[in-house]
Amino acid sequence: MISVEDWALIRRLVADGVPQRQVARQLGIGRSTVDRALASDRPPKYERPAQPTSFAPFEARVRALLAEHPEMPATVIAERVEWSGSITWFRENVRRLRPEHRPVDPADRLSWAAGDAAQCDLWFPPRKIPLEDGTSVLLPVLVIVAAHSRFVMARMIPTRKTEDLLLGSWELIQQLGRVPRRLIWDNEPGIGQKGRLAQGVASFAGTLATKVVQLRPYDPESKGIVERRNGWFETSFMPGRTFTSPADFNAQLADWLERANSKVVRTIKARPVDLIEHDRARMLPLPPIPLQLGWRERVRLGRDYYVRLDASDYSVDPTAIGRFVDVTADLDRVRARLDGRIVADHARVWARGSVITDPAHLETAKRLRQQFQTPRPVAVGDDLSRDLADYDRAFGLSGEVA
């Protein structure tokens, strides 16, 4: 077999008008070799004749298993077909065959109409945030992206529970000033799973007159916009930053988003701030009535005059002991009411297991405890006898005896 250089030289000499016989004589090769070089449209390449391998007798059975179970592990397949050779060699062959038997899932190019949809997701920053008790934890960030304009809104929230997800969603929608016609989620447990919405989500969507869409599994392109923004946060927002609290994180994120929404998005060749008004114009108006969101519970206040919310305890005015109080909480405050009167008002803590006490409640408890422990004085010398005529008058009887 001639080299690539000889193949190229033969073709060049013949193209320049040198007779094939002379080319063969100059290069010391046969005429048939020159003919084959001219007839070939690609450089010569040595290829070893295919030889049957130790895997060949098992290939048909492996293909049959993969056709029925495309994700079956190679070790299980090796056991089923009774393979006794090198498992590494077997894995390489299974890896070569597996793509031929996996079902194909084409990704569509989606277009998003103005006002139609917003993609929602939770992003977990890869850095722990300091909390009130000195601990540091990983906290979720709720991200909502208007699909048409690519306008991004985000806020760190205390938990991924339904109450906090809806509170965060409502806060971001209020920042937007309008309601997207669809809120697209994956199967986030706090929103719903397997086609069923979590408790409170349906009423939230109904009040906003929007629709919560839960994506089916293996449908990444339908939420790809917000997923890419999550990756963008990690590469553009997080590097070089430190945070002292969730409030500090939200302040830095809000400042960064203001600049980020002013940058040109490559896929739409426009800035989100320039498209958001067109997007808003086709969204729904905010509801005219206030939304009843957040944590809500009615409990009878015990002797320790504390109520629990999200694994933390908050003190309540001890005068409400033994009576039912209505406990409500949003992302910032925890309040308790007795017959409409506020008997507790605390800043919400994000650290689990905390005990929050109002000093005024301690003073009230101390005073009530002293009153309870001090016996009531009994007046000495009081005449406890009663005139029997009082009973006659009470029952309408006269003093005469029949």
Side-chain angles (χ1 to χ4, degrees), residues 151-169:
F151 192 85
V152 187
M153 299 163 291
R155 188 199 197 281
M156 180 170 279
I157 57 178
T159 71
R160 61 193 302 181
K161 295 181 180 178
T162 302
E163 293 84 354
D164 288 333
L165 286 174
L166 297 184
L167 283 167
S169 298

Side-chain angles (χ1 to χ4, degrees), residues 58-121:
F58 299 87
E59 183 169 338
R61 296 167 62 190
V62 170
R63 286 184 178 275
L65 288 172
L66 289 175
E68 187 174 357
H69 306 286
E71 301 302 327
M72 181 180 287
T75 52
V76 178
I77 298 176
E79 182 182 351
R80 299 284 177 86
V81 302
E82 299 180 353
W83 170 265
S84 59
S86 167
I87 190 61
T88 302
W89 170 242
F90 189 84
R91 281 197 180 102
E92 291 178 1
N93 283 277
V94 172
R95 191 180 302 114
R96 172 176 57 85
L97 297 178
R98 197 185 297 277
E100 302 178 22
H101 300 279
R102 279 197 177 112
V104 179
D105 181 22
D108 296 327
R109 294 286 183 91
L110 302 179
S111 60
W112 301 94
D116 174 54
Q119 297 183 11
C120 312
D121 197 18

